[in-house]
Amino acid sequence: TGLELITEMRRKKPDLKFILISGYSEFDYAKWAIDNQINAYLLKPIDENELIDVFCSYQTESLSEVERIVGILESYGVKCWYAARDCKENHAPEIIAMIKHCKVFLLFEDGNVATNPRGDILNEVNMACTLYNRGKIKIIRLKLSDNELESPDLVYYVGRIQHTKFFDRSMQESTKEILFKISDILGRNILNVANDEKKISRTNKVQ
């Protein structure tokens, strides 16, 4: 089978890169792809919208902030994915696939996430950190409150990753920092400071 072939080729040539294209959306297949360091897991028929730049991890209390930030990022051509808008049918397999496909894992760290994160957030962060430690993706912590991390799991996973503050500075200043970070990660010049100052300001006001 294809899975057996990948296992054998991985044993012989560990540096090879693999993209798994499958008609199966079951959790076990997606988990196998993660566990075996498959570079991408695509479901047939392939949708180019699955090839995303940013995966947004959040609790429902922060949905309005997610929508605002996503609106700004997408106005600069950054493809974002968040469950409330983009999840179609099979919740767990879709989330696994999107984390695997993304280049940036954006954690919206509000007071609830910092002090008492739900299990689904911890699952997402756990998976993202596995990929982060392999050099597959980058993680950005977006700090929405002055609450310090109290969850031992989050301290363990992301405590050493520098955060971007949103709660004690202007939205424009914070937005610029995020855009610069994502631009650097993607290797694309998505932000021209001289030309885009007014655009950021206008987008923030509309949002």
Side-chain angles (χ1 to χ4, degrees):
T1 67
L3 302 185
E4 291 170 340
L5 176 62
I6 290 173
T7 300
E8 181 63 17
M9 292 301 294
R10 179 73 76 193
R11 184 181 65 81
K12 293 181 177 179
K13 296 186 177 182
D15 294 333
L16 282 179
K17 296 182 182 298
F18 296 93
I19 296 176
L20 186 59
I21 301 175
S22 174
Y24 297 99
S25 62
E26 282 81 0
F27 175 83
D28 288 343
Y29 285 92
K31 185 177 186 301
W32 186 93
I34 291 289
D35 291 341
N36 288 273
Q37 302 184 39
I38 302 302
N39 297 88
Y41 182 87
L42 304 179
L43 293 177
K44 294 184 289 187
I46 297 173
D47 182 353
E48 67 176 11
N49 290 325
E50 291 182 348
L51 305 176
I52 63 170
D53 297 317
V54 176
F55 177 95
C56 298
S57 180
Y58 64 96
Q59 293 193 175
T60 52
E61 295 84 359
S62 297
L63 181 58
S64 61
E65 290 294 336
V66 174
E67 292 172 338
R68 174 160 35 180
I69 297 302
V70 166
I72 294 170
L73 293 176
E74 291 185 337
S75 74
Y76 284 87
V78 178
K79 290 185 178 181
C80 300
W81 192 96
Y82 65 100
R85 181 189 69 181
D86 300 311
C87 198
K88 299 172 184 176
E89 297 178 358
N90 300 314
H91 194 75
E94 283 188 53
I95 287 176
I96 291 172
M98 291 303 103
I99 295 176
K100 182 68 178 178
H101 294 161
C102 78
K103 301 177 182 70
V104 179
F105 181 89
L106 185 57
L107 176 62
F108 287 78
E109 196 176 296
D110 63 10
N112 294 301
V113 169
T115 59
N116 189 30
R118 292 199 307 262
D120 55 342
I121 296 294
L122 294 178
N123 289 339
E124 293 170 7
V125 171
N126 183 10
M127 184 173 299
C129 285
T130 298
L131 297 170
Y132 173 82
N133 290 332
R134 295 173 182 170
K136 303 294 186 183
I137 67 173
K138 299 295 184 182
I139 295 176
I140 296 178
R141 293 173 55 196
L142 195 58
K143 194 171 175 61
L144 303 179
S145 76
D146 60 355
N147 293 86
E148 297 298 327
L149 286 182
E150 296 181 10
S151 163
D153 294 298
L154 282 187
V155 171
Y156 176 78
Y157 289 131
V158 300
R160 291 176 293 177
I161 299 175
Q162 185 177 5
H163 59 252
T164 298
K165 288 185 178 181
F166 243 61
F167 65 90
D168 63 351
R169 55 200 298 213
S170 71
M171 173 67 85
Q172 183 170 349
E173 183 181 4
S174 301
T175 301
K176 281 174 55 180
E177 183 176 346
I178 294 171
L179 285 167
F180 273 123
K181 286 184 176 181
I182 292 177
S183 178
D184 184 59
I185 293 169
L186 299 181
R188 304 202 304 257
N189 184 23
I190 64 173
L191 178 63
N192 183 309
V193 178
N195 295 331
D196 291 343
E197 290 279 359
K198 293 182 179 179
K199 180 179 178 181
I200 294 173
S201 179
R202 287 197 305 271
T203 306
N204 283 324
K205 288 178 181 178
V206 170
Q207 296 290 334

